[in-house]
Amino acid sequence: MDHQGDMRQEMITAAAPYQLAGRSAPDLYRAFNLHGSGPVEVRRQGAQLLISGSDGITAAFRFFAEGAGGKIEFANLSTLPAGRWRLASAAFEYLFSTLPAIRSITLSGDRWAELEEEFTAHGLHMHLLSNSDQPVVSAEMFWQTTGLWSAPAYGSFPRCDVYDSRVSHPLRAPKPVGTVYARFIPWLGGVLSLDVATLNDLPDVHRWMNSPRVDKFWHEAGDEDKHRRYLNGMFADAHIMPLIGRFDGRAFSYFEVYWAKEDIVGTFCDAGDYDRGCHVIVGDEACRGRDWFTAWLPSLLHYMFLDDPRTERIVQEPSSDHERQLRNLQKSGFSHIKSVDLPTKRAAIMTIGRQRFFADRLWHPVA
């Protein structure tokens, strides 16, 4: 028996990415797109995953599927003393991103102990299952690790309650600037990023707000001065962060991420102190449809859960007559709690919890 040939075939079968709309994930995958040292590239070659960082360090791993899990072992690892955790993490991300059935990865072999200290320092945890003496990395925990898709975290903003003349809520951290999230989307073959909006984004927002499709639900059509005032209002509002969604650098969407407790919807959904919500405009007509929806919505939810580990729930309040959006949200893991009359519309209160998002691995498109 040609054991090496069998092993190679098992790896090829195990790492074959799922297909969406007839397209498979590319052989080149990029992780750590916001890291100061540059991205880490993952290539599949025969029975191996070949990993290379822009700082010159490299690694190779072998992966074998085993039902809802898998086993990964070293084939080669650079001997540089630091930064190797990123190479391993890029391999984990590739596998968890392209193999929807994989819930955990067993770390096979003794060399993983060399990375335990680095893993722990960066919030990436190995743990033992009751029926195994080998450590595992679970998808549910891995995708809650900060610093892989978002900007490096320096701990949660300290708790201090304030009263804003309407409701008591935690004082919010100052808004960030620049890119706050970036994730490689296998079925689109590029990087989706979220940037904090500035007035440089006014032309795009102005054009999107005047789209008849968008205005049907937003009711904000107008001239550029109106939209400049609109954006300035968002910049000044401490509970809202306006974001621009980009794909490989091209703007395609506008999002408003808000703290639900300070928002008008807060009283209708019994908002917790760290619940969040979002408003959405997908302005680029070429970026609509299932391929795109299953890229930007999970990425936006992922960012909100990563941004503060105390966020346990995300809410949305689409118009109750927006049947397509309600259907898409329910397919994506949201529950319809109730319908209410907001000042501007009859709204459906939709919610999704942290545990549901990560335990059900909803960064994958739902079948």
Side-chain angles (χ1 to χ4, degrees), residues 157-200:
F157 191 67
R159 173 78 182 236
C160 176
D161 286 353
V162 296
Y163 182 70
D164 64 6
S165 77
R166 191 181 66 86
V167 66
S168 177
H169 60 83
L171 181 68
R172 305 304 181 185
K175 296 180 189 180
V177 295
T179 305
V180 295
Y181 179 92
R183 172 192 168 200
F184 189 85
I185 307 298
W187 56 93
L188 295 178
V191 175
L192 187 151
S193 61
L194 301 175
D195 298 342
V196 179
T198 71
L199 279 180
N200 291 334

Side-chain angles (χ1 to χ4, degrees), residues 185-261:
I185 307 298
W187 56 93
L188 295 178
V191 175
L192 187 151
S193 61
L194 301 175
D195 298 342
V196 179
T198 71
L199 279 180
N200 291 334
D201 301 302
L202 175 60
D204 286 326
V205 174
H206 171 61
R207 184 174 68 257
W208 297 336
M209 289 283 195
N210 283 319
S211 162
R213 173 178 56 82
V214 171
D215 188 53
K216 179 180 178 181
F217 297 100
W218 277 66
H219 309 295
E220 290 289 349
D223 59 22
E224 195 168 84
D225 284 341
K226 174 181 178 177
H227 295 138
R228 181 181 290 106
R229 293 191 299 271
Y230 182 94
L231 282 179
N232 280 328
M234 296 299 105
F235 302 153
D237 192 327
H239 96 285
I240 295 178
M241 182 164 57
L243 299 171
I244 298 295
R246 303 185 196 279
F247 186 76
D248 281 348
R250 186 188 75 186
F252 74 93
S253 59
Y254 171 74
F255 306 118
E256 291 172 355
V257 170
Y258 61 83
W259 296 105
K261 194 164 189 183

Side-chain angles (χ1 to χ4, degrees), residues 40-367:
V40 174
E41 295 185 342
V42 182
R43 289 179 172 83
R44 194 163 46 112
Q45 187 177 90
Q48 295 184 334
L49 294 179
L50 304 180
I51 320 294
S52 58
S54 55
D55 48 9
I57 60 176
T58 61
F61 302 93
R62 287 184 291 267
F63 176 77
F64 308 94
E66 297 177 346
K71 179 175 68 176
I72 191 169
E73 61 185 31
F74 285 104
N76 179 54
L77 182 66
S78 171
T79 58
L80 292 176
R84 293 179 296 170
W85 76 280
R86 290 204 305 134
L87 305 182
S89 297
F92 300 154
E93 182 181 341
Y94 173 85
L95 294 169
F96 287 138
S97 292
T98 60
L99 300 175
I102 298 297
R103 290 181 173 271
S104 63
I105 298 172
T106 299
L107 309 184
S108 179
D110 297 333
R111 292 203 63 189
W112 291 102
E114 300 174 25
L115 298 184
E116 185 172 2
E117 187 174 336
E118 271 195 287
F119 280 174
T120 301
H122 292 90
L124 196 157
H125 299 289
M126 302 185 294
H127 62 283
L128 292 174
L129 299 178
S130 58
N131 60 348
S132 174
D133 59 356
Q134 294 179 310
V136 302
V137 172
S138 72
E140 180 177 355
M141 294 177 67
F142 178 79
W143 280 76
Q144 294 183 70
T145 306
T146 58
L148 278 68
W149 303 272
S150 54
Y154 300 100
S156 300
F157 191 67
R159 173 78 182 236
C160 176
D161 286 353
V162 296
Y163 182 70
D164 64 6
S165 77
R166 191 181 66 86
V167 66
S168 177
H169 60 83
L171 181 68
R172 305 304 181 185
K175 296 180 189 180
V177 295
T179 305
V180 295
Y181 179 92
R183 172 192 168 200
F184 189 85
I185 307 298
W187 56 93
L188 295 178
V191 175
L192 187 151
S193 61
L194 301 175
D195 298 342
V196 179
T198 71
L199 279 180
N200 291 334
D201 301 302
L202 175 60
D204 286 326
V205 174
H206 171 61
R207 184 174 68 257
W208 297 336
M209 289 283 195
N210 283 319
S211 162
R213 173 178 56 82
V214 171
D215 188 53
K216 179 180 178 181
F217 297 100
W218 277 66
H219 309 295
E220 290 289 349
D223 59 22
E224 195 168 84
D225 284 341
K226 174 181 178 177
H227 295 138
R228 181 181 290 106
R229 293 191 299 271
Y230 182 94
L231 282 179
N232 280 328
M234 296 299 105
F235 302 153
D237 192 327
H239 96 285
I240 295 178
M241 182 164 57
L243 299 171
I244 298 295
R246 303 185 196 279
F247 186 76
D248 281 348
R250 186 188 75 186
F252 74 93
S253 59
Y254 171 74
F255 306 118
E256 291 172 355
V257 170
Y258 61 83
W259 296 105
K261 194 164 189 183
E262 296 99 280
D263 198 81
I264 187 65
V265 74
T267 58
F268 293 93
C269 66
D270 192 24
D273 287 333
Y274 295 95
D275 287 355
R276 297 192 95 156
C278 56
H279 302 138
V280 174
I281 291 175
V282 177
D284 189 331
E285 293 293 330
C287 298
R288 300 182 66 207
R290 182 171 183 255
D291 285 16
W292 290 93
F293 179 79
T294 54
W296 64 255
L297 179 63
S299 297
L300 185 62
L301 300 178
H302 191 207
Y303 165 69
M304 286 188 278
F305 283 125
L306 288 180
D307 187 51
D308 195 312
R310 295 167 292 191
T311 296
E312 290 292 337
R313 187 175 65 150
I314 293 170
V315 302
Q316 281 207 316
E317 78 290 2
S319 295
S320 58
D321 61 353
H322 199 332
E323 294 180 0
R324 180 178 179 180
Q325 187 175 6
L326 298 181
R327 186 168 59 250
N328 286 338
L329 288 173
Q330 288 176 317
K331 288 180 180 178
S332 301
F334 279 80
S335 297
H336 182 187
I337 303 303
K338 58 183 175 180
S339 294
V340 300
D341 290 312
L342 298 181
T344 58
K345 63 184 177 183
R346 177 74 174 170
I349 303 299
M350 313 287 290
T351 69
I352 186 171
R354 173 180 288 269
Q355 195 275 340
R356 172 77 192 278
F357 180 82
F358 289 105
D360 289 355
R361 306 185 309 287
L362 294 180
W363 54 87
H364 291 298
V366 177

